[in-house]
Amino acid sequence: MNIEICLTNLTKYTEGTLIGKWVQVAPDINWTKIESEIGAPGDEFFITDYNANFQIKEYDNPRILSDIVKVVDDENAFYALCQIYDRDYVIELLKNENYSFYPDILNYEDLARDRIGDNLPKEFEGYFKWDEYGETIAISEGGNLTEYGYVVAY
């Protein structure tokens, strides 16, 4: 997962000086060292810009971004979960692997066909309401459709 942020010294910024640094977020990054390069002990920092495929807020803790890089194996699963849940909850789901992700299921019909498979006799196919059954499955499983696929959190 590729995340870059521009970490800026808030203390200096409020004094009228812009001091910041672009940082490639990594699981093992030394944030104390980065902060010392752009400030002094006790200074506060904020994120003035970023390059990532999800929203990063200016007062997000950069250390949490390192946690995200550590736990994300499947970026599409991460993005799908982020469309539904709070990012902190997503991190916990990923750490504990308490979710299922189906990237090929993009609508209720796909979900119903995935669950039924070849078990529906061919003569009934024209009468079966795939979308409605798929929606019922999603409700009963507590699952959600996203633009990245279908996800269920446990």
Side-chain angles (χ1 to χ4, degrees):
M1 171 168 270
N2 186 28
I3 303 173
E4 292 178 300
I5 61 169
C6 184
L7 191 63
T8 303
N9 184 318
L10 178 61
T11 306
K12 295 295 182 189
Y13 180 78
T14 58
E15 295 171 357
T17 305
L18 184 60
I19 300 174
K21 178 177 184 170
W22 276 97
V23 179
Q24 177 76 38
V25 178
D28 57 354
I29 193 166
N30 185 340
W31 288 109
T32 305
K33 180 180 179 224
I34 300 292
E35 290 168 354
S36 69
E37 291 173 8
I38 60 172
D43 285 351
E44 294 182 64
F45 302 90
F46 72 114
I47 298 168
T48 51
D49 200 1
Y50 66 91
N51 290 321
N53 289 333
F54 61 96
Q55 182 181 16
I56 298 174
K57 297 177 183 164
E58 63 184 352
Y59 293 109
D60 278 349
N61 185 338
R63 287 164 177 80
I64 294 206
L65 300 175
S66 289
D67 287 345
I68 291 171
V69 173
K70 284 179 197 173
V71 298
V72 172
D73 291 327
D74 184 340
E75 288 185 39
N76 286 335
F78 172 74
Y79 300 142
L81 288 165
C82 281
Q83 285 187 337
I84 302 159
Y85 304 109
D86 165 270
R87 194 174 55 216
D88 293 336
Y89 182 61
V90 170
I91 292 169
E92 288 305 311
L93 288 173
L94 294 170
K95 281 182 182 177
N96 299 319
E97 297 181 5
N98 289 342
Y99 70 96
S100 294
F101 176 59
Y102 305 89
D104 297 331
I105 298 176
L106 299 172
N107 56 51
Y108 291 130
E109 181 177 343
D110 291 345
L111 178 58
R113 289 185 183 278
D114 179 74
R115 296 301 190 268
I116 291 177
D118 295 331
N119 294 328
L120 185 70
K122 294 286 180 201
E123 60 269 13
F124 293 134
E125 256 197 54
Y127 301 101
F128 195 75
K129 296 182 179 178
W130 293 100
D131 284 345
E132 290 179 17
Y133 185 62
E135 185 175 9
T136 301
I137 293 169
I139 291 168
S140 68
E141 292 180 347
N144 293 280
L145 290 171
T146 72
E147 66 183 278
Y148 297 97
Y150 179 71
V151 292
V152 180
Y154 317 117

